[in-house]
Amino acid sequence: MSAIPTVPELQDQPWHLPSRGRIGMLSLIIGESAIFTIFVVAYVFYIGKSLSGPTPGQVLEVPIFNTICLLSSSITIWLAERRIERNEIKAFGLWWGVTIALGVVFLVGTGLEWYKLIYHDGLTISTNLFGTTFYSLVGLHATHVVIGLAMLLLVLVFTLMGRVTEHHAERIQVLALYWHFVDAVWVVVFTVVYIVGR
Amino acid sequence: MADQTLPISGSVDVTPPHAAAGTFLERLHGWVVTVDHKKLGILYVVYSLIFLLVGGAEALAIRIQLMIPGNHFLTAATYNQFFTMHGTTMVFLVGMPILFGFANYLVPLMIGARDMAFPRLNAFSFWLTALGGLLLYFSFIGGPGLYGMGAAPDVGWFAYAPLTAHVFSPGNGTDYWALALIVSGFGTLGTAINIVATIISMRCKGMSLLRMPLFAWLMLVVSALTLVTITPLTAAQFMLLIDRYLGGHFFDTQAGGSALVWIHFFWIFGHPEVYVLVLPAFAIANEIIPVFSRKAIFGYPAMVAASVGIAFVSLGVWAHHMFTVGMTSVSNAFFVLSTMLVGIPTGIKIFNWLATMWGGKIRFATPMLYCTAFVFQFLIAGLTGIILSVAPWDWQLHNSYFVIAHFHYVLVGAIVFNIFAAIYYWYPKVTGRMMSERLGKWNFWLFLIGFHVTFDTMHFLGFLGMPRSIYTYEPNRGWNGLNMVVSIGAFIQGVAALIFVYNLVWSYFHGEVAGNDPWDAWTLEWATPSPPPDYNFATDPEVKSRRPLWDLKHPDDPDWKYE
Ligand SMILES: [Cu+2]
C-alpha cells in the first residue's frame, strides 16, 4: 500500500489558495503584455523613420468617440460582473449586451478608419514603415478585441438560453479580466499612435 | 499513523491491469485523447527524445563534414540547413518540451495534486508543440524552394535580418521556420500558464510556498520567465511574416527599417531562453543531489532567492550577444556588468550544491554521477561565460568556435547531463522498473569522455580563429587535427546516446522491479505506487515540512520540528 502522508493536526485548519482561473488569466495577460510591448517598442522606434509619405500627421485623426466607447465598455462589464455575483441574471445580460455593443462600435470605428486610410490616403501595410507598424499594432489590438467579442458573445448566448447562474460568476469575472486588459492596452496604443506618434 | 495512510474505500482503481490495457488501437486512442498530466508528460519526453536523436544525427553529419579540410560530405547549402535545423531542433523541439515534460509529470505529484490546473489546455499545448515540430521537419520534403526542391530553413537558428528577407531567402524554408516556432511557441505559452496556475493554486494542504520541493519552485520561476521570454519571439516572428508575406518593412533596411531591431528582439528572447533551459536542469540537481548525499538541501531559501534573482537579471543582459554590432560604450559597459552579475546567484547555487554534498554519505548511482559532472561542467561553462562577457574579449572571439564551445558546455554539459540524470532517477517511478545500472555507467562514462573530447577541444579551435557556420576550411589553417578530435568525441557521444536508448528499451522489459521508493527519497511523488495511478493520490496528502516522506519514515525525528 502506498503511504500517503497525512497530518492529523492540519485537518481542521482552513487551506485557501488563489483561484486557478484568475492565476491562469493573469499569466496569459503577462505573456500578452510582452507581445504588445515588442510591437509598441517597434512602433516607437520607427516613428519618423519612414522614407516616404504619408506621415501620421497627414492622415491620422484622433478616434475620440471610439476610445470613449471602448473604455466605457470596461465600466459596463464591471457592472455586469457585480450583477452576476448577486444572481441578477437579467441585469447581468443587459450590461453584458451593452458591453458587446460598445465593443462592436469600436471595431466598426476602426474599420471605417482603415477604409479611409486605405482608399483615400493610399496607406497600406506595405506603403512605408509607418503603414507597417501602424496596421500591425492597431491590428494586433483589434484582433484581441475580436477574440474578446467572440467569447463575450458566447456568454451572451448561454445567458439568453438561461444557462448562466451565479455559479458562473468567477468564470465570467476571469473572462472580464481579459476584456479589461484589452481596454488597458488600448490606452497605451492610443497614447503611442495618436498622441506621441502624431 | 497507519490507518490514515489507507485509501478511502472505492477510491482506488481495482481493475486488473490486463483488463485495463485493451487492444492496441484502444490504447493508442487513449494516448491521443488523454488529458492526464502523467501521460502528457511521457508524450513530451518521448517526443523530445526522438528529436534529440534527429538533432544529434544532424550534429554528427556536421562533424563528418568538418572532420577533414575540403570535405564534400555535405554541400554548402545542405550544411547551412543542417546547422540551422540542429540548433532550432535542440532548443525548441528537445530542450523546452523535455523540461516541460518533466514538469508536467512531476509537479502535480510533488505538490500533492491530482492533475494540472487545466488538463485540457495541457493536452492542447502538447499537440500544438508536436505540430510545430512536424511543421519544421515537413520543410525538408514540403517546402518548394528555389528550384522546386525541398527547402529546410538555412538562415541559422537566430535568423538575422536582412538574410531572412524574401530577396535573400526565397522559397518557403524561412516561413516554415517562423510558423513552426509560432505554433510551438503558443504551445509553450499554454504550458507555462498551466504550470504557474498549478503551482500557485493546486498545492495540497500544508504545502506552503516555502515547503515546496525546489523542483516545483524552479519550475514556477521558469514558467513565469517563459511567459515573458517566448512571447517576444512570437511577436518578432509575426513581424518577420508580415515582412515576407504582406510586404512590410520592419526589418527592411531599404525602406528605413532596421536589421538591428531583429537582433535586439531575438536576443531579448534568446538570452532568457538559456535560463528557461538551464533552470530546470538546476531543478533536477536540487532533487537528486540531496537524495544521493543523504542530506537535506543546503540553503533552501538562498536557492529560491538565487533562482528568482537569475530570472530577473537574465532579462537585462541580452545585448552581450551584440558587442560586435557597434553599440555605444555606455551600453557595452552596462551589458558587461549586468552579465557578470549573473555570476553571483549562480555561484550561490554551486556553493549550495557542494555544501549539500559536503559531509554527506554520497552514493554514486548513475543519476548522481550525472549531477556531479553537471556541477563542475556548469562551473566551467559559467567561467567561460564571464570571459565572453568582457566586451573586448568578445570582439576577439565573437562567432568563433570558442562561443560554440561555451554554450554547448551549458546546453550539453549542464542541461543534457541533467536530462539523463532525471531520466535515470524518475524512470522507476514512471515505468515501475529500474534502468540498468551497468548500462548506465557505460552510458555515463562514454558520454563524459565524448563530451570533454569534443567541447574542451573546441575552445582551442576558437582561439585559433575558426569561425562558426563555415561548411569547410583550408588545410593550411592549423585546424585539421583539432577538428578530427572534436569529431571523434562527437561519435563517442553518439555511441553513449545509443546505449542510453538501448537501456531505456531494455529496462522497460527486463529492468528490476522498482517498488514505490527505490532511492529512499523524500518528496511526495515517491509516496505513490510506480507507476502512479490515474488519480495520483487516493487521499489528498497533507504535509508539514519540505520532506514529507522523511517525516513519515522518521516519526521520532521529523523535519517540521526544525523548520
Ligand atoms: Cu546570453
Side-chain angles (χ1 to χ4, degrees):
Chain A
M1 186 47 64
S2 64
I4 309 297
T6 55
V7 183
E9 302 90 286
L10 275 176
Q11 250 145 25
D12 5 281
Q13 286 166 22
W15 181 246
H16 288 302
L17 290 173
S19 120
R20 59 183 170 175
R22 264 175 233 267
I23 297 293
M25 184 54 82
L26 282 175
S27 304
L28 178 69
I29 287 173
I30 292 171
E32 292 263 35
S33 305
I35 296 187
F36 275 106
T37 305
I38 294 291
F39 274 90
V40 167
V41 166
Y43 191 93
V44 172
F45 180 78
Y46 284 136
I47 287 175
K49 296 226 167 70
S50 293
L51 300 184
S52 59
T55 64
Q58 291 165 345
V59 293
L60 282 191
E61 284 158 26
V62 184
I64 304 270
F65 176 68
N66 248 352
T67 304
I68 291 173
C69 283
L70 192 67
L71 294 188
S72 44
S73 77
S74 238
I75 299 170
T76 57
I77 204 171
W78 181 81
L79 290 169
E81 288 174 62
R82 298 289 82 82
R83 292 299 182 278
I84 188 78
E85 272 175 358
R86 283 181 255 141
N87 206 16
E88 298 166 16
I89 304 298
K90 279 234 172 68
F92 162 75
L94 186 70
W95 286 119
W96 199 260
V98 173
T99 307
I100 294 176
L102 289 169
V104 170
V105 170
F106 174 82
L107 264 191
V108 171
T110 305
L112 290 175
E113 181 196 32
W114 285 26
Y115 182 85
K116 171 189 164 287
L117 288 174
I118 294 170
Y119 290 98
H120 295 280
D121 305 319
L123 179 77
T124 68
I125 197 165
S126 61
T127 306
N128 57 13
L129 254 182
F130 163 56
T132 304
T133 51
F134 170 81
Y135 286 111
S136 305
L137 179 57
V138 176
L140 181 70
H141 177 262
T143 311
H144 282 76
V145 175
V146 171
I147 294 170
L149 279 178
M151 292 192 296
L152 295 187
L153 263 177
L154 203 65
V155 173
L156 187 67
V157 169
F158 281 128
T159 311
L160 294 177
M161 286 162 67
R163 297 289 178 82
V164 173
T165 68
E166 62 182 324
H167 298 298
H168 301 100
E170 197 195 301
R171 290 175 177 214
I172 281 167
Q173 284 165 356
V174 167
L175 179 53
L177 210 53
Y178 175 85
W179 190 255
H180 289 306
F181 166 69
V182 171
D183 291 354
V185 168
W186 179 251
V187 177
V188 177
V189 173
F190 180 84
T191 313
V192 166
V193 174
Y194 297 96
I195 298 176
V196 179
R198 227 160 62 97
Chain B
M1 224 45 229
D3 49 343
Q4 269 148 5
T5 66
L6 285 175
I8 301 162
S9 63
S11 69
V12 173
D13 184 4
V14 288
T15 334
H18 56 89
T23 65
F24 174 73
L25 267 184
E26 279 166 12
R27 267 181 297 159
L28 186 67
H29 180 254
W31 280 94
V32 173
V33 300
T34 187
V35 293
D36 176 35
H37 74 97
K38 296 181 292 298
K39 282 188 164 179
L40 286 165
I42 295 170
L43 282 174
Y44 265 117
V45 171
V46 170
Y47 165 89
S48 314
L49 286 178
I50 291 170
F51 276 116
L52 180 69
L53 293 180
V54 174
E58 285 157 356
L60 287 182
I62 290 170
R63 283 323 310 175
I64 294 176
Q65 168 65 19
L66 293 178
M67 223 174 214
I68 48 171
N71 201 354
H72 295 293
F73 179 71
L74 298 176
T75 63
T78 321
Y79 185 87
N80 289 349
Q81 295 181 348
F82 270 42
F83 75 69
T84 303
M85 292 296 269
H86 167 72
T88 310
T89 304
M90 290 304 198
V91 171
F92 295 97
L93 311 186
V94 180
M96 279 204 287
I98 203 166
L99 298 165
F100 278 136
F102 290 140
N104 238 303
Y105 195 98
L106 295 169
V107 163
L109 286 167
M110 283 185 172
I111 62 172
R114 286 194 164 158
D115 207 322
M116 299 280 277
F118 311 110
R120 277 177 292 185
L121 173 66
N122 201 11
F124 180 64
S125 303
F126 169 73
W127 291 106
L128 272 185
T129 307
L131 177 65
L134 292 180
L135 207 54
L136 186 66
Y137 272 84
F138 184 69
S139 64
F140 268 116
I141 48 171
L146 194 50
Y147 307 108
M149 304 280 289
D154 56 0
V155 288
W157 89 284
F158 38 62
Y160 276 0
L163 179 59
T164 46
H166 240 304
V167 246
F168 305 115
S169 291
N172 297 117
T174 309
D175 305 319
Y176 275 103
W177 179 81
L179 275 175
L181 297 195
I182 287 175
V183 170
S184 69
F186 279 118
T188 307
L189 179 63
T191 308
I193 290 172
N194 216 338
I195 294 173
V196 171
T198 305
I199 294 178
I200 293 189
S201 305
M202 309 285 285
R203 280 168 288 134
C204 71
K205 222 171 175 182
M207 177 82 68
S208 61
L209 280 175
L210 284 178
R211 280 189 198 145
M212 278 201 309
L214 277 175
F215 183 91
W217 245 114
L218 267 78
M219 284 302 176
L220 176 62
V221 175
V222 168
S223 304
L225 183 61
T226 304
L227 295 177
V228 293
T229 296
I230 195 77
T231 37
L233 179 68
T234 306
Q237 308 268 29
F238 274 126
M239 292 177 183
L240 177 62
L241 288 180
I242 288 170
D243 274 13
R244 284 180 65 87
Y245 276 102
L246 302 177
H249 306 293
F250 279 112
F251 312 118
D252 175 7
T253 44
Q254 306 274 300
S258 165
L260 251 186
V261 167
W262 169 270
I263 307 184
H264 272 293
F265 287 170
F266 186 85
W267 290 113
I268 283 173
F269 148 79
H271 187 84
E273 171 67 13
V274 177
Y275 292 89
V276 168
L277 294 172
V278 85
L279 282 169
F282 296 170
I284 291 162
N286 287 338
E287 294 306 314
I288 293 177
I289 290 178
V291 167
F292 288 90
S293 306
R294 310 311 303 155
K295 279 172 69 190
I297 187 90
F298 182 90
Y300 177 103
M303 285 299 223
V304 172
S307 309
V308 177
I310 289 175
F312 274 106
V313 177
S314 77
L315 292 172
V317 302
W318 75 88
H320 63 211
H321 298 265
M322 303 169 55
F323 289 137
T324 52
V325 304
M327 298 184 295
T328 62
S329 31
V330 176
S331 348
N332 279 348
F334 175 84
F335 286 104
V336 168
L337 294 174
S338 66
T339 304
M340 287 181 174
L341 201 60
V342 182
I344 296 171
T346 41
I348 291 175
K349 279 173 172 283
I350 288 182
F351 280 120
N352 281 352
W353 288 317
L354 292 178
T356 306
M357 292 185 199
W358 187 266
K361 212 173 148 192
I362 300 182
R363 189 154 53 97
F364 280 111
T366 312
M368 185 61 174
L369 285 175
Y370 273 112
C371 278
T372 312
F374 148 81
V375 173
F376 293 100
Q377 285 158 190
F378 182 68
L379 174 65
I380 297 172
L383 292 176
T384 54
I386 291 187
I387 292 173
L388 282 172
S389 76
V390 182
W393 188 277
D394 181 79
W395 293 334
Q396 191 62 34
L397 288 175
H398 191 77
N399 275 353
S400 78
Y401 264 83
F402 188 85
V403 173
I404 307 284
H406 158 68
F407 74 72
H408 279 84
Y409 240 84
V410 180
L411 294 170
V412 183
I415 298 166
V416 175
F417 267 69
N418 271 3
I419 286 173
F420 280 139
I423 291 178
Y424 276 94
Y425 182 63
W426 279 293
Y427 188 89
K429 179 50 57 191
V430 176
T431 64
R433 286 176 189 272
M434 308 293 287
M435 284 181 81
S436 158
E437 269 294 305
R438 199 172 54 84
L439 289 172
K441 296 266 155 64
W442 275 101
N443 180 184
F444 170 73
W445 288 108
L446 276 178
F447 198 68
L448 185 81
I449 292 166
F451 169 80
H452 284 282
V453 169
T454 296
F455 295 109
D456 296 11
T457 316
M458 226 179 236
H459 288 93
F460 297 101
L461 274 173
F463 284 133
L464 294 178
M466 180 165 169
R468 73 193 291 187
S469 308
I470 53 169
Y471 84 103
T472 192
Y473 51 93
E474 284 153 14
N476 57 1
R477 294 298 184 108
W479 302 334
N480 304 3
L482 290 177
N483 266 308
M484 179 56 88
V485 173
V486 170
S487 294
I488 290 171
F491 278 94
I492 301 175
Q493 291 175 71
V495 172
L498 288 182
I499 293 177
F500 170 73
V501 173
Y502 177 73
N503 196 355
L504 273 185
V505 178
W506 184 88
S507 304
Y508 185 78
F509 297 103
H510 308 289
E512 202 186 311
V513 174
N516 294 353
D517 185 14
W519 309 113
D520 192 9
W522 303 307
T523 38
L524 277 179
E525 77 270 28
W526 304 102
T528 63
S530 308
D534 285 346
Y535 43 82
N536 291 354
F537 301 99
T539 50
D540 284 334
E542 286 163 27
V543 299
K544 268 181 101 176
S545 79
R546 288 172 198 151
R547 298 194 298 170
L549 262 65
W550 171 276
D551 296 352
L552 199 72
K553 292 168 191 169
H554 305 271
D556 46 316
D557 183 28
D559 264 7
W560 50 262
K561 280 191 182 160
Y562 311 104
E563 269 174 16

